[in-house]
Amino acid sequence: SSKIRNRDIQSADDVAVPEDCIDFSPAETISKTEEKLEKGGLPGCLDDDSIPRVGNEIGAETQIRLLKAKLRVMQEELDSVVCECRKKDDENQSLKSQLRDTKEENSRLQQTISVQHSQAEKYKMLSQEANKKSEGLQQEVVALEKVRQ
């Protein structure tokens, strides 16, 4: 594929482009067509042939060369979009992995919070029991002091 591509790129210098098509750009042609469609200036069914204003005036060989050049540009644009799509997929996978790790950490932390909450309740109960026992012992000390006097 890359060998074929390099050969096409090397032979791009011999592409004959009519004077009408010197500034031809697929992106510009598409944007102009979209503008005309928005304004309602184009009929509903367009020819798929988007060679600007050349029609049958140029030879078949020239038309083929022009179409090959257009195809090469479109292939490069497609390759660029595919590359960008792959990057987005990689980023998406990375974010999914990060989300999974975050969910696991969140679950672990929730479990730790639950354990700590139950321990806090346990120590609160032990503290209340110790306070009641302390109050009982205080009352016993006061009663013993009264008896001793």
Side-chain angles (χ1 to χ4, degrees), residues 65-112:
R65 287 182 182 168
L66 183 61
L67 289 172
K68 282 184 179 180
K70 267 180 63 175
L71 178 62
R72 209 171 26 258
V73 168
M74 293 173 89
Q75 184 64 45
E76 288 171 4
E77 289 175 0
L78 177 63
D79 291 346
S80 172
V81 169
V82 166
C83 181
E84 186 177 329
C85 188
R86 285 185 182 138
K87 286 179 184 176
K88 294 291 181 183
D89 283 344
D90 291 344
E91 183 181 353
N92 194 17
Q93 290 300 324
S94 173
L95 290 172
K96 281 181 180 180
S97 175
Q98 201 174 12
L99 177 63
R100 186 182 63 248
D101 293 345
T102 303
K103 283 182 177 181
E104 289 173 1
E105 184 178 359
N106 185 29
S107 176
R108 206 171 48 252
L109 290 173
Q110 288 293 339
Q111 196 173 20
T112 302

Side-chain angles (χ1 to χ4, degrees), residues 22-40:
I22 290 175
D23 294 330
F24 175 70
S25 164
E28 287 178 23
T29 303
I30 291 170
S31 66
K32 287 177 184 176
T33 305
E34 287 175 345
E35 287 175 15
K36 287 181 182 178
L37 281 173
E38 287 176 5
K39 293 178 182 176

Side-chain angles (χ1 to χ4, degrees), residues 124-136:
K124 185 177 177 182
M125 295 285 284
L126 288 173
S127 174
Q128 287 174 351
E129 288 177 16
N131 284 340
K132 286 181 184 178
K133 188 175 181 180
S134 174
E135 286 176 14

